[in-house]
Amino acid sequence: MGTAVQRAKCSVFIATSLDGFISRLDGSIDWLDKANKDITPGEDCGFREFMSTVDVMVMGRNTFEQVRTLDPWLYGTTPIIVITSRPESFNTTEERDTVSVSGDSPEAIVERLTAQGKRHVYVDGGLTIQSFLAADLIDELIITTIPVLLGAGRPLFGGGACVRDIPLAHVATRAFDFGFVQSKYRVRREGEEDST
Amino acid sequence: MGTAVQRAKCSVFIATSLDGFISRLDGSIDWLDKANKDITPGEDCGFREFMSTVDVMVMGRNTFEQVRTLDPWLYGTTPIIVITSRPESFNTTEERDTVSVSGDSPEAIVERLTAQGKRHVYVDGGLTIQSFLAADLIDELIITTIPVLLGAGRPLFGGGACVRDIPLAHVATRAFDFGFVQSKYRVRREGEEDST
């Protein structure tokens, strides 16, 4: 029909402390593990539903080193691209089947995934999210706020993640009985109506 | 009755960008002024109701220099203590009637206000909030998240605001049609039940 192929949608789905940290300075998420113990059995705060819409994940090396320690594996057969300039060896069957590495830019990765027919990319990890935000490639943010202040750590949004304001449209918020608050935002692009 | 006088409750009521900034690096809140234009007429996100419970405000010099430019004056006859080591001159009748300065520590200020019979202290401004958090004097946080990412600015929670985790209990969250999300948290003290 002559219509340009629409770029794959890129989403963030992540938990932070109320002061905006995704891990401690040493990468530890003990505070999140502790909070997760309060979750109502069977509740996953929408993670499985979100994952069912995801075609491919992109994450940084630090995040991958963390998630590869998880047992059971959280991501099924969803392909994962680890952004790294270092070679990588894969430990498990799940990793060998689903994980690849790339040193490409966010723009190049998304362009390639779009050309491959991928429609929805899950972007994970602080530095990776920041680089995708800086490249104006993030379309949706689902942020779950954990009721704790850490005082220090690795921030979700680092200083200088964006060189200009990024206006958002609030889509929905839900609060869980165990104190988590999850908000979904859509990034507003230029030319959109100036209203939510 | 032999009961120790209960320390005055200290609350935070503040707006931040989704990335946790309360102003730009130069102190500007143009992004907040812009967002406020979208507010439903008559809506104040609970500010008047909150202020009706406040006996006294404590804020830093930076915040005071900002709020003193507001017209009309937002704080009625509520007394304001400006934390500063510099002498201060007051410009207007409202300021002369309600504003005093102090170079005391958060602990000393709260002790004095409690002795004066004050029951509820509104703590405002990033550095002042951080110093009260570090002194374990904050009891309640009401944070209104504005749907924008700024990328840089003065953070609500600075690095090192607390030297240990501060566990919170989520009290309530409401989302407004114009995209603001307001969450209320209570600081959980040691000895409390480990549940919300």
Side-chain angles (χ1 to χ4, degrees):
Chain A
M1 309 288 281
T3 310
V5 174
Q6 194 176 8
R7 169 173 72 67
K9 172 176 155 181
C10 296
S11 296
V12 169
F13 188 110
I14 202 163
T16 80
S17 64
L18 181 63
D19 46 355
F21 299 112
I22 56 176
S23 69
R24 296 193 195 273
L25 288 171
D26 66 0
S28 163
I29 55 164
D30 60 306
W31 55 278
L32 182 57
D33 293 335
K34 185 178 174 209
N36 280 336
K37 296 201 175 95
D38 291 335
I39 291 183
T40 310
E43 180 61 67
D44 73 345
C45 302
F47 184 71
R48 275 181 297 252
E49 187 187 341
F50 172 77
M51 279 304 293
S52 75
T53 70
V54 168
D55 296 314
V56 56
M57 293 187 71
V58 178
M59 63 178 69
R61 159 76 69 138
N62 288 338
T63 304
F64 179 65
E65 293 299 340
Q66 191 170 74
V67 305
R68 79 192 306 182
T69 67
L70 299 176
D71 183 21
W73 183 252
L74 282 182
Y75 308 112
T77 57
T78 306
I80 296 180
I81 298 171
V82 178
I83 300 187
T84 179
S85 53
R86 287 180 288 163
E88 184 57 77
S89 66
F90 301 118
N91 298 335
T92 64
T93 302
E94 287 89 349
E95 288 183 11
R96 282 189 298 273
D97 287 351
T98 61
V99 181
S100 61
V101 300
S102 173
D104 292 342
S105 68
E107 291 88 342
I109 290 173
V110 173
E111 192 174 340
R112 175 157 45 87
L113 292 174
T114 300
Q116 291 170 358
K118 308 293 190 193
R119 307 302 308 126
H120 194 192
V121 183
Y122 175 7
V123 180
D124 202 20
L127 295 176
T128 303
I129 292 168
Q130 290 163 31
S131 70
F132 274 64
L133 276 173
D136 194 23
L137 286 168
I138 296 294
D139 301 295
E140 202 165 85
L141 297 144
I142 298 165
I143 299 175
T144 305
T145 302
I146 312 303
V148 65
L149 297 173
L150 299 181
R154 296 181 183 168
L156 170 54
F157 301 107
C162 44
V163 294
R164 66 198 184 302
D165 295 356
I166 298 182
L168 306 169
H170 173 254
V171 178
T173 289
R174 55 178 173 166
F176 295 91
D177 289 345
F178 40 91
F180 293 14
V181 177
Q182 184 178 74
S183 290
K184 181 172 173 176
Y185 294 92
R186 186 172 52 73
V187 171
R188 287 162 60 184
R189 307 286 180 201
E190 257 177 66
E192 268 191 83
E193 291 268 320
D194 190 30
S195 78
T196 55
Chain B
M1 308 288 280
T3 310
V5 174
Q6 194 176 8
R7 170 173 71 68
K9 173 175 156 183
C10 296
S11 296
V12 169
F13 188 110
I14 202 162
T16 80
S17 63
L18 181 63
D19 46 356
F21 298 113
I22 56 175
S23 68
R24 297 193 193 274
L25 288 172
D26 66 0
S28 163
I29 55 164
D30 59 307
W31 55 279
L32 183 57
D33 293 335
K34 186 180 175 209
N36 280 337
K37 293 201 176 95
D38 291 335
I39 292 184
T40 310
E43 181 61 69
D44 75 344
C45 301
F47 184 70
R48 273 180 299 251
E49 187 187 343
F50 173 77
M51 280 302 294
S52 74
T53 70
V54 168
D55 296 315
V56 56
M57 293 186 70
V58 177
M59 63 178 68
R61 159 76 69 137
N62 289 339
T63 305
F64 179 65
E65 293 298 341
Q66 190 170 74
V67 304
R68 77 191 309 182
T69 67
L70 299 176
D71 183 19
W73 184 251
L74 282 183
Y75 308 112
T77 58
T78 305
I80 297 179
I81 297 171
V82 178
I83 300 187
T84 180
S85 54
R86 287 180 289 162
E88 183 57 76
S89 66
F90 301 119
N91 298 335
T92 64
T93 303
E94 287 88 351
E95 287 183 13
R96 281 189 298 272
D97 288 351
T98 61
V99 182
S100 61
V101 300
S102 173
D104 292 342
S105 69
E107 291 89 342
I109 290 173
V110 173
E111 192 175 337
R112 175 157 46 89
L113 292 174
T114 300
Q116 290 170 0
K118 307 294 189 192
R119 308 303 309 126
H120 193 193
V121 183
Y122 174 8
V123 180
D124 202 20
L127 295 176
T128 303
I129 292 167
Q130 290 163 32
S131 69
F132 274 65
L133 276 172
D136 194 22
L137 287 168
I138 296 295
D139 302 294
E140 202 166 85
L141 298 144
I142 299 165
I143 299 175
T144 306
T145 302
I146 312 302
V148 65
L149 296 173
L150 300 181
R154 296 181 183 167
L156 170 54
F157 301 107
C162 44
V163 293
R164 68 198 181 303
D165 295 356
I166 298 181
L168 306 170
H170 174 254
V171 177
T173 289
R174 53 176 173 167
F176 296 91
D177 288 344
F178 41 91
F180 294 14
V181 177
Q182 184 178 73
S183 289
K184 180 171 173 175
Y185 294 92
R186 187 173 51 74
V187 171
R188 287 163 59 185
R189 308 287 179 199
E190 257 178 65
E192 267 189 83
E193 291 270 320
D194 191 30
S195 78
T196 56

